[in-house]
Amino acid sequence: MNLVISRGTWRKIWNFVLFQIGWFACILGAAHHQIGLALAISLICIGIYLWLYQNARSEHELLLKVFIYGLIADTILVQLGWIRFESDFPFAAISPVWMWALWLVFATTLKESMAWLQGKNGLAAVLGAIAGPLCYEAGVRLGAASWPSPEDRVFALIYLAVVWAIAMPVFLYFAKEK
């Protein structure tokens, strides 16, 4: 029995760990009004990813695409009044900066710890439709946001399921090695 873990597997493990660190930094930073610390930790996680990845230009493009999608999706959520983010810097009318960082940290997983989903669009869509809304619900329960009403919560979670069901296959397409 071979118990040696390959370098590629270690990269995926560390990528997942860095994503978790970035996710909790953003959520808890927002909940406790420590946005600067949350952004610093997220930028370190993103920086490590870019430092380790060989084709930084394609990585910057991937991160930018995911960031734009996330900014639009979350701003629509805010504009519909279905969520209130605890720390809404820079403007209350759009998604907050800590969510921007969270989308970027998430984007770092697409070629590493989530690469196993490449080519499995149906599974990616189903997992996105389930995990995406669950992450927002977790963020709410940890104090980073709130649902204005029970009805808003239902509409928001349905909206997020659709947003993430679309996002995952699209993001994996963007992440595909060319």
Side-chain angles (χ1 to χ4, degrees):
M1 179 172 12
N2 187 359
L3 297 177
V4 177
I5 298 175
S6 72
R7 181 181 174 130
T9 301
W10 276 116
R11 278 179 64 124
K12 290 177 185 344
I13 291 168
W14 277 108
N15 177 257
F16 179 76
V17 168
L18 288 171
F19 167 70
Q20 293 301 313
I21 290 169
W23 190 89
F24 279 105
C26 288
I27 297 300
L28 296 176
H32 298 287
H33 301 282
Q34 297 293 320
I35 301 303
L37 181 60
L39 293 177
I41 292 170
S42 297
L43 289 175
I44 290 169
C45 294
I46 295 163
I48 291 170
Y49 172 78
L50 291 173
W51 177 66
L52 291 173
Y53 220 87
Q54 297 188 352
N55 188 353
R57 180 177 169 90
S58 72
E59 296 317 300
H60 287 99
E61 291 172 2
L62 173 62
L63 269 61
L64 179 62
K65 290 173 184 176
V66 172
F67 165 76
I68 291 169
Y69 184 94
L71 175 63
I72 292 168
D74 285 344
T75 297
I76 291 170
L77 192 61
V78 168
Q79 287 295 312
L80 291 170
W82 290 343
I83 197 166
R84 287 191 195 121
F85 290 110
E86 182 60 31
S87 296
D88 57 10
F89 177 80
F91 309 106
I94 63 171
S95 132
V97 69
W98 61 269
M99 283 297 294
W100 305 353
L102 194 50
W103 280 95
L104 291 169
V105 169
F106 169 76
T108 68
T109 67
L110 295 167
K111 288 187 179 181
E112 290 291 339
S113 57
M114 284 208 237
W116 64 275
L117 281 171
Q118 200 58 255
K120 300 173 184 159
N121 291 337
L123 179 59
V126 169
L127 290 177
I130 295 168
L134 286 176
C135 287
Y136 282 76
E137 181 67 28
V140 166
R141 290 180 185 228
L142 289 170
S146 62
W147 310 118
S149 72
E151 294 81 18
D152 290 327
R153 177 178 179 255
V154 170
F155 291 131
L157 292 174
I158 292 169
Y159 167 80
L160 289 166
V162 172
V163 163
W164 280 95
I166 294 168
M168 286 304 296
V170 170
F171 291 168
L172 290 165
Y173 173 77
F174 291 156
K176 191 181 300 184
E177 298 292 339
K178 295 179 170 96

